[in-house]
């Protein structure tokens, strides 16, 4: 019998999490995760700017689940494309690292420190900065 690439209990756990997220999508329980996705989306725009020779001016995350990454220089095509693609890559990477390896706490720590640095250096609006620092503190 061929072995599956993921164990059944882990697969069921992931499916259970997906079900709970869908069930509680428009509630206060999922709201912080939605803001995290917005933050990662905007960070991805900023990283694309840096990787193509530009720089980040500021990042905003609003409580209406919107955001803005202001950049200077870099390749506009890659910067614009990086938002949704980056969110997907961040989410997939975090899921794989946390579910397939035994260093989920280290992943949370590194992500928390990284988000704290982004929050302190680049996030410009008060609500975005407060969210970023609070969420990164929880991760750490």
């Amino acid at each position: 019998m061929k072995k599956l690439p993921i164990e059944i209990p882990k697969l069921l756990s992931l499916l259970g999490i997906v079900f709970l997220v869908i069930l509680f999508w428009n509630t206060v329980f999922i709201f912080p995760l939605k803001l995290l996705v917005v933050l990662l989306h905007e960070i991805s725009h900023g990283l694309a700017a840096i990787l193509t020779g530009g720089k980040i001016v500021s990042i905003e995350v609003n409580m209406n689940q919107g955001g803005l990454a202001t950049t200077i220089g870099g390749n506009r095509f890659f910067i614009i494309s990086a938002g949704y693609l980056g969110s997907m890559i961040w989410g997939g990477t975090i899921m794989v690292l946390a579910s397939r390896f035994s260093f989920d706490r280290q992943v949370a720590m590194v992500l928390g420190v990284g988000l704290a640095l982004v929050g302190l250096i680049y996030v410009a609006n008060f609500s975005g900065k407060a969210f970023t620092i609070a969420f990164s503190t929880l991760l750490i």
Side-chain angles (χ1 to χ4, degrees):
M1 178 181 262
K2 188 175 181 181
K3 185 175 177 177
L4 295 174
I6 186 169
E7 296 99 31
I8 297 299
K10 283 187 180 181
L11 180 62
L12 292 175
S13 295
L14 288 173
L15 290 173
I17 291 169
V18 168
F19 174 76
L20 289 174
V21 167
I22 291 169
L23 183 66
F24 292 105
W25 186 251
N26 289 318
T27 66
V28 69
F29 303 112
I30 303 300
F31 183 73
L33 293 177
K34 290 179 177 181
L35 290 181
L36 176 63
V37 170
V38 171
L39 178 60
L40 294 175
H41 175 100
E42 301 308 332
I43 289 171
S44 297
H45 288 303
L47 285 174
I50 291 169
L51 291 173
T52 60
K55 68 178 190 173
I56 302 171
V57 174
S58 67
I59 292 175
E60 293 182 25
V61 176
N62 302 307
M63 295 301 113
N64 66 354
Q65 299 169 34
L68 174 68
T70 305
T71 62
I72 294 176
N75 184 304
R76 184 170 164 80
F77 174 78
F78 288 115
I79 294 169
I80 292 171
S81 301
Y84 291 114
L85 183 60
S87 299
M88 183 177 62
I89 291 170
W90 282 108
T93 302
I94 292 167
M95 184 182 75
V96 167
L97 290 175
S99 67
R100 299 198 52 132
F101 301 100
S102 61
F103 47 84
D104 51 337
R105 291 175 191 252
Q106 292 86 346
V107 170
M109 177 72 75
V110 168
L111 184 60
V113 170
L115 290 179
L117 290 172
V118 168
L120 292 171
I121 297 169
Y122 294 112
V123 177
N125 62 321
F126 176 77
S127 59
K129 192 174 285 281
F131 166 76
T132 304
I133 300 303
F135 201 90
S136 63
T137 301
L138 288 173
L139 286 171
I140 294 170

